[in-house]
């Protein structure tokens, strides 16, 4: 049973964009050794999202869940451990959008649901 820590379920926007959080750790998930690390995933997501939506539309934040400091990060760290979730775990607006090997299409769908639109080319 979960304690009083709850995810932030409302749309999470900062003045500089929608926050996309990538949870992981330096140690690779045993099932994900052939995939990029969580930190590498955060880096390529940041680049991909900037290409699609423009600089500043999304803020990609990496969090080592073994060193979680905020209540929100502690909540997700606990879920990763207790529910044996695969990481990197990608969370947008309190919702898991990717686990293990996140799919850009899933992230795009969630971001567009939140009102982001692809930049004009």
């Amino acid at each position: 049973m979960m304690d009083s820590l709850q995810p932030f379920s409302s749309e999470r926007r900062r003045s500089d964009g929608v926050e996309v959080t990538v949870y992981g750790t330096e140690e690779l998930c045993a099932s994900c050794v052939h995939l990029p690390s969580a930190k590498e995933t955060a880096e390529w997501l940041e680049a991909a999202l900037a290409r699609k939506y423009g600089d500043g539309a999304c803020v990609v934040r990496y969090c080592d869940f073994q060193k979680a400091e905020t209540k929100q990060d502690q909540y997700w760290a606990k879920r990763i451990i207790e529910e044996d979730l695969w990481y990197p775990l990608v969370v947008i607006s309190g919702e898991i959008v990717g686990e293990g090997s996140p799919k850009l299409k899933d992230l795009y769908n969630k971001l567009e649901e939140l009102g982001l639109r692809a930049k004009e080319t």
Side-chain angles (χ1 to χ4, degrees):
M1 176 138 178
M2 284 287 150
D3 59 14
S4 62
L5 295 177
Q6 296 296 318
F8 291 82
S9 58
S10 63
E11 180 179 346
R12 195 138 150 101
R13 278 191 185 264
R14 294 180 28 178
S15 61
D16 50 352
V18 174
E19 186 173 87
V20 176
T21 306
V22 179
Y23 291 95
T25 185
E26 291 190 28
E27 181 181 324
L28 291 177
C29 172
S31 302
C32 305
V33 292
H34 62 287
L35 298 172
S37 71
K39 193 173 254 184
E40 291 167 332
T41 298
E43 290 169 358
W44 71 256
L45 280 178
E46 184 172 45
L49 296 175
R51 276 192 305 275
K52 181 153 179 95
Y53 299 108
D55 289 333
C58 299
V59 176
V60 179
R61 184 175 71 88
Y62 168 76
C63 175
D64 184 328
F65 71 85
Q66 293 179 330
K67 300 173 186 171
E69 295 179 7
T70 69
K71 286 186 178 186
Q72 178 184 14
D73 292 342
Q74 291 166 2
Y75 167 84
W76 288 107
K78 185 173 181 171
R79 283 198 58 189
I80 289 168
I81 294 164
E82 289 182 354
E83 298 175 30
D84 202 26
L85 298 173
W86 289 18
Y87 48 92
L89 183 75
V90 180
V91 176
I92 302 173
S93 192
E95 181 180 325
I96 296 172
V97 183
E99 185 180 356
S101 179
K103 309 278 185 284
L104 279 174
K105 183 177 179 181
D106 296 338
L107 275 73
Y108 293 160
N109 288 340
K110 180 62 180 176
L111 291 168
E112 289 169 13
E113 178 184 305
L114 293 172
L116 265 77
R117 297 292 171 251
K119 68 179 183 177
E120 306 252 339
T121 54

